[in-house]
Amino acid sequence: MTVRLLHTADWQIGKLFGQFEPDQAALLAEARFKAVERLAALASEEALDLVLVAGDVFDAQGVADRTIHRLFNALAGFSGRWVMLPGNHDAALSESVWTRAARLHAIPDKVSLCLAPEPLLLEELGVAILPAPLTQRNTFDDLSEWFVSAETPPGMLRIGLAHGSVRGILAEAIDSANPIAAGRAEQAALDYLALGDWHGSRQVDARSWYSGTPESDRFRANQSGQALLVELTEPRALPTVRPLRTGRHRWRSEALTLQVPSDIEQALQRIAGFSTDEVVQLSLSGQTDLAGHRRLRKAIGQAEGRVHSLLSDFSALRLEPTADDIDALQADGYLGEVIDELRSQQQGGQGEVAREALTLLAGILDERRRDTGSGSKAGSDAESCMESKAASKANTTGAL
């Protein structure tokens, strides 16, 4: 008797991705449906017996009816049995996304929902599923404890299905909701324990694994974007577990520090290396002159049109205009006098304040010069706005 199954979790269908622009967020949300379709195709190609989903099928209880229908339609590529467990995002409340799905008649016959802590016997496969469904978002009781005393027919494989944090993995100072005892698989004589909640694949012990989410959704190097192909040959034999790549998008976090001119060249090379299916979080720190700043902005603009999504953070990057930068701004009249005054004051007791004011003003004037050069109405509107900002800042620095 050999049972081959796919272990997956944390689909979080309906996730909003509010940190991204609306069009990018919509594509990331769509990618989660595509990931489920890939799981179904994979299960069919591998001729698997079963797919286990260890919680957080949905990201929230209030997802749209259309989202519910789309999710269950995405399962069409695999005709075998799907077993789903409520997690903390889609807990089995008295009124939940699951009860709504039932009223919508959206749940196919091939899907078994584990809404209560009782064995699910799949006699045709020789498998007994012991589920620990969450009936509220957070609990501090171990809902898998009943596995230990659960009776199942002799000769059937015992598979636990739970969603939460195995004790002893997180730092001692962290109180983790939805705990699961370490060693639960051995204590309950489980042949395999399929876990959800962690978004990266991770082996807990010889019989217990987190599958992670099938489509990455965070900037962490935690082996996400995978599912687990599990083979069980007979009761009490150790399972064979093989991670399978399922995710399309790679989430990548880059932190670039700029100090000397050569750092700009290296940063531009890194940015040019961002690829089509990547979701990138880019933070820049250190300092650069106006020319370097313009080159960075241009490279990032080009990358935004190439990668799937890009979040850039310039807040820790200081703009340090050179004397040539200032001369090139061609500020005359009142603003020219302000720039000259600020340049002279950088050497005095208020040098830091003067430098910050000069940097801000130089950046405003440089942006105004580029907008004006475009000859567009937007450039003209920007020029008027920049003049106002510059004059306000100049008045503020008059107290130096």
Side-chain angles (χ1 to χ4, degrees), residues 67-94:
T67 297
I68 295 174
H69 283 295
R70 283 201 64 196
L71 178 278
F72 287 109
N73 287 336
L75 310 181
F78 176 58
S79 60
R81 176 63 48 185
W82 297 78
V83 178
M84 296 184 175
L85 180 81
N88 59 308
H89 281 257
D90 54 6
L93 310 175
S94 57

Side-chain angles (χ1 to χ4, degrees), residues 56-69:
D56 283 359
V57 174
F58 296 97
D59 186 59
Q61 301 285 3
V63 297
D65 290 354
R66 176 175 178 273
T67 297
I68 295 174
H69 283 295

Side-chain angles (χ1 to χ4, degrees), residues 15-236:
K15 191 176 179 72
L16 296 178
F17 298 99
Q19 71 270 45
F20 296 94
E21 294 295 326
D23 58 336
Q24 296 175 339
L27 290 173
L28 290 172
E30 181 68 19
R32 308 202 76 72
F33 288 105
K34 297 299 183 183
V36 175
E37 293 175 357
R38 285 194 295 276
L39 290 170
L42 185 62
S44 182
E45 291 167 5
E46 293 282 347
L48 301 183
D49 301 301
L50 178 66
V51 178
L52 298 179
V53 191
D56 283 359
V57 174
F58 296 97
D59 186 59
Q61 301 285 3
V63 297
D65 290 354
R66 176 175 178 273
T67 297
I68 295 174
H69 283 295
R70 283 201 64 196
L71 178 278
F72 287 109
N73 287 336
L75 310 181
F78 176 58
S79 60
R81 176 63 48 185
W82 297 78
V83 178
M84 296 184 175
L85 180 81
N88 59 308
H89 281 257
D90 54 6
L93 310 175
S94 57
E95 176 61 32
S96 70
V97 64
W98 302 108
T99 58
R100 190 149 51 93
R103 287 198 300 272
L104 292 170
H105 303 289
I107 306 171
D109 292 339
K110 64 183 178 182
V111 175
S112 296
L113 301 182
C114 297
L115 303 180
E118 57 190 23
L120 170 66
L121 302 181
L122 304 177
E123 296 180 355
E124 70 280 10
L125 298 178
V127 169
I129 306 293
L130 305 180
L134 286 170
T135 56
Q136 59 191 54
R137 186 175 179 92
N138 292 314
T139 179
F140 291 93
D141 296 324
D142 185 346
L143 301 182
S144 71
E145 189 172 358
W146 78 274
F147 294 177
V148 177
S149 58
E151 295 185 359
T152 55
M156 295 190 81
L157 293 166
R158 287 167 62 94
I159 299 177
L161 191 59
H163 189 90
S165 296
V166 175
R167 287 172 173 158
I169 292 180
L170 297 178
E172 293 184 7
I174 298 177
D175 290 327
S176 177
N178 310 321
I180 300 168
R184 177 62 77 209
E186 288 300 324
Q187 297 161 8
L190 301 178
D191 296 294
Y192 184 72
L193 175 56
L195 298 169
D197 195 28
W198 287 45
H199 283 219
S201 297
R202 179 166 183 172
Q203 182 177 10
V204 177
D205 57 41
R207 300 180 185 275
S208 308
W209 284 73
Y210 284 98
S211 66
T213 178
E215 183 67 50
S216 299
D217 59 358
R218 300 176 184 178
F219 294 105
R220 295 178 184 172
N222 62 352
Q223 302 300 314
S224 61
Q226 298 186 138
L228 302 177
L229 198 161
V230 182
E231 293 191 12
L232 301 166
T233 56
E234 59 183 357
R236 306 313 298 152

